[in-house]
C-alpha cells in the first residue's frame, strides 16, 4: 500500500477540542478509518484491480437531474 495521510486533521482536532465530536463519535470515526485502510490493503472494492475496468450496466437508464435543478441557489456557508 502506498503512503496515506488524513486530510483536515487540524479542523478535526479543533472540533474535538470544542466538544463538537464526542469520544463515542470519535471511536466510530477511528473504526471507519481502520475499515477503509483494510479495504485498501486487501485491494477490495472499490480499490481492487478490477475497478479501472468497471463499466455501468448497459440496462441502467441515464441519470436525470430533478426538474427544478436550474432553480437551485448555492449559498455560501456562514461562520
Amino acid at each position: 500500500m502506498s503512503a496515506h495521510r488524513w486530510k483536515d486533521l487540524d479542523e478535526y482536532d479543533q472540533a474535538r477540542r470544542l466538544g463538537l465530536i464526542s469520544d463515542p463519535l470519535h471511536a466510530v470515526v477511528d473504526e471507519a478509518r481502520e475499515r477503509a485502510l483494510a479495504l485498501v490493503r486487501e485491494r477490495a472494492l472499490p480499490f481492487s484491480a478490477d475497478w479501472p475496468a468497471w463499466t455501468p450496466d448497459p440496462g441502467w437508464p441515464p441519470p436525470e437531474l430533478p426538474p427544478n435543478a436550474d432553480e437551485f441557489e448555492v449559498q455560501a456557508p456562514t461562520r
Side-chain angles (χ1 to χ4, degrees):
M1 178 173 79
S2 60
H4 73 276
R5 69 178 180 83
W6 298 114
K7 293 179 66 177
D8 305 320
L9 285 180
D10 292 344
E11 290 83 355
Y12 184 84
D13 291 342
Q14 178 67 10
R16 294 269 296 143
R17 283 190 293 275
L18 293 172
L20 301 173
I21 299 172
S22 65
D23 289 341
L25 179 56
H26 176 66
V28 171
V29 170
D30 271 349
E31 289 173 20
R33 287 175 178 169
E34 289 306 314
R35 284 194 309 272
L37 288 175
L39 290 173
V40 172
R41 284 185 201 108
E42 296 166 8
R43 296 285 189 221
L45 283 173
F47 307 105
S48 68
D50 294 339
W51 177 248
W54 181 87
T55 58
D57 184 322
W60 291 352
E64 292 183 21
L65 290 173
N68 62 345
D70 60 339
E71 299 170 11
F72 182 74
E73 281 188 42
V74 177
Q75 297 181 2
T78 57
R79 291 194 177 221

